[in-house]
Amino acid sequence: MQASISHADTGNFLHPDYGSLGAGVVVATGDVEIVTDQDTIDGEVLSGVATTLDVVDDSGFVPAKIGTSFGVVLYVKKPMEQVPLVATVTHPPMGSEGRVLQTWPVRTPQWGAALYVGYTLEDSFELVPGDWTFRLYDGATQIMEHRFEVLAPQS
């Protein structure tokens, strides 16, 4: 993975205790489980351990297409307390409620392990173009912020 988060990019930030393995359109393989009762539009998040996380497009532009996954791959640079982190994504209004914020818990990875904070476009109502910003928090401490532009679906 050659992409990296640039601190010079507008709206992008990475806490110094974390390193970046990449950000962009992502292909992941590994075991995944669906975790229910989450503060997301459909009440679910995918959680699991990826055996590979490959950034295939680091342009910052994401095609609004069913099946596209995009986000940020991080790693922990030093041993940390294993506390739940909280991920958020803000985006243009979507769904019947016009929701603009979704949040979910993320397990802190072991030192040196990869962590993915992202989104997979699974339903047609999610294909909303505009700015999508991911953030990751450890309590009140912001760990990461990264902005993507989702492009309008092609006709």
Side-chain angles (χ1 to χ4, degrees):
M1 292 179 230
Q2 299 164 0
S4 65
I5 299 174
S6 168
H7 294 281
D9 291 346
T10 303
N12 295 344
F13 164 79
L14 181 61
H15 190 280
D17 288 345
Y18 287 75
S20 169
L21 294 178
V25 177
V26 174
V27 174
T29 58
D31 294 329
V32 176
E33 65 177 314
I34 296 174
V35 181
T36 59
D37 296 326
Q38 302 300 307
D39 187 22
T40 60
I41 288 177
D42 62 3
E44 300 175 343
V45 295
L46 298 178
S47 180
V49 177
T51 53
T52 63
L53 282 165
D54 293 322
V55 175
V56 295
D57 178 356
D58 64 357
S59 68
F61 297 101
V62 177
K65 181 179 175 185
I66 298 292
T68 299
S69 295
F70 62 105
V72 180
V73 183
L74 306 169
Y75 69 95
V76 179
K77 290 169 53 175
K78 67 178 192 173
M80 298 183 74
E81 185 179 335
Q82 294 296 301
V83 297
L85 305 173
V86 175
T88 70
V89 62
T90 56
H91 46 69
M94 79 162 69
S96 60
E97 300 173 1
R99 191 157 181 185
V100 297
L101 174 68
Q102 299 183 64
T103 65
W104 61 94
V106 176
R107 287 180 281 211
T108 306
Q110 297 293 328
W111 170 78
L115 166 69
Y116 174 65
V117 177
Y119 199 92
T120 299
L121 302 171
E122 299 173 318
D123 297 297
S124 59
F125 69 83
E126 296 172 315
L127 304 180
V128 293
D131 289 340
W132 288 58
T133 303
F134 292 95
R135 293 178 182 91
L136 184 65
Y137 297 92
D138 179 354
T141 302
Q142 185 174 349
I143 294 170
M144 176 275 299
E145 178 175 313
H146 196 86
R147 183 188 151 287
F148 294 92
E149 177 151 352
V150 173
L151 304 174
Q154 300 298 314
S155 55

